[in-house]
Amino acid sequence: MSRKSDKFAFVNFSSICSNCGENCCKRFYAVLLPEEEGEFRESSFEVSTRFGNLRAVGSRGGIPCQYLDGEGLCAIYSRRPLDCRLWPVMVYYDFNTGEKIVYLDLDCPAVSSGRISRELIDDIVSRLKEIEFDEEWLKKYTLAPWPNHLVEIARFGPTK
Ligand code: SF4
């Protein structure tokens, strides 16, 4: 079975992220899809939401992600989880309409300085429309604690 993350193999922010002083992997966690939990069983931790728990990798308690190497690069870049691959793009569930909402996260300096091309963002959104997310997982993901400096860029669905 192909991983959802593999469908976004064209997403490569490495040139945008190199030399970033605010390395997101030192600040944030990445929620795992259900299909990713087994692969990262040993390195993941629990994130609680009012709809249930999720598993995540990345930073917590001020400690950088264990996969971050000494040069500030991801040691598992080619097989990083989908949440890592897509951020600063995020997909949330709209509890009012059942739609999926695509956001850009303004906590990424490349977003706030306009260094991510509209073409790449549009390609990501197009591919996201083809992905079937587990709705229960997406609801929990939406409720996972997050700074939420988000700007909506697209929505599609509804999912119900
Ligand atoms: S797995 Fe890689 S991309 Fe994801 S938070 Fe860790 S170092 Fe960053």
Side-chain angles (χ1 to χ4, degrees), residues 23-26 28-30 40 57-59 64-69 72-77 79-81 83-85:
N23 195 315
C24 51
C25 311
K26 293 179 180 172
F28 301 130
Y29 59 79
F40 294 99
V57 297
S59 171
C65 178
Q66 70 178 78
Y67 295 114
L68 200 61
D69 70 17
L73 302 173
C74 176
I76 58 164
Y77 199 69
R79 63 180 184 92
R80 66 199 186 285
D83 207 16
C84 300
R85 193 175 286 268

Side-chain angles (χ1 to χ4, degrees), residues 51-157:
F51 278 10
N53 296 335
L54 296 158
R55 303 292 302 178
V57 297
S59 171
R60 66 170 166 169
I63 299 171
C65 178
Q66 70 178 78
Y67 295 114
L68 200 61
D69 70 17
E71 298 179 347
L73 302 173
C74 176
I76 58 164
Y77 199 69
S78 64
R79 63 180 184 92
R80 66 199 186 285
L82 182 67
D83 207 16
C84 300
R85 193 175 286 268
L86 293 186
W87 197 83
V89 176
M90 302 178 76
V91 185
Y92 277 173
Y93 181 82
D94 187 323
F95 286 91
N96 293 317
T97 67
E99 293 170 293
K100 297 185 185 86
I101 316 172
V102 186
Y103 292 99
L104 275 178
D105 195 334
L106 297 175
D107 271 322
C108 173
V111 170
S112 46
S113 61
R115 286 185 289 120
I116 301 180
S117 76
R118 186 72 227 186
E119 184 182 17
L120 177 56
I121 292 169
D122 287 347
D123 287 346
I124 293 172
V125 171
S126 295
R127 190 60 56 91
L128 280 170
K129 291 178 180 175
E130 300 168 3
I131 300 293
E132 280 196 31
F133 288 99
D134 178 280
E135 195 168 288
E136 296 311 306
W137 176 88
L138 191 62
K139 289 176 181 175
K140 288 189 279 187
Y141 177 78
T142 302
L143 295 172
W146 197 254
N148 282 317
H149 299 140
L150 308 176
V151 57
E152 180 178 332
I153 56 169
R155 58 172 60 223
F156 53 92

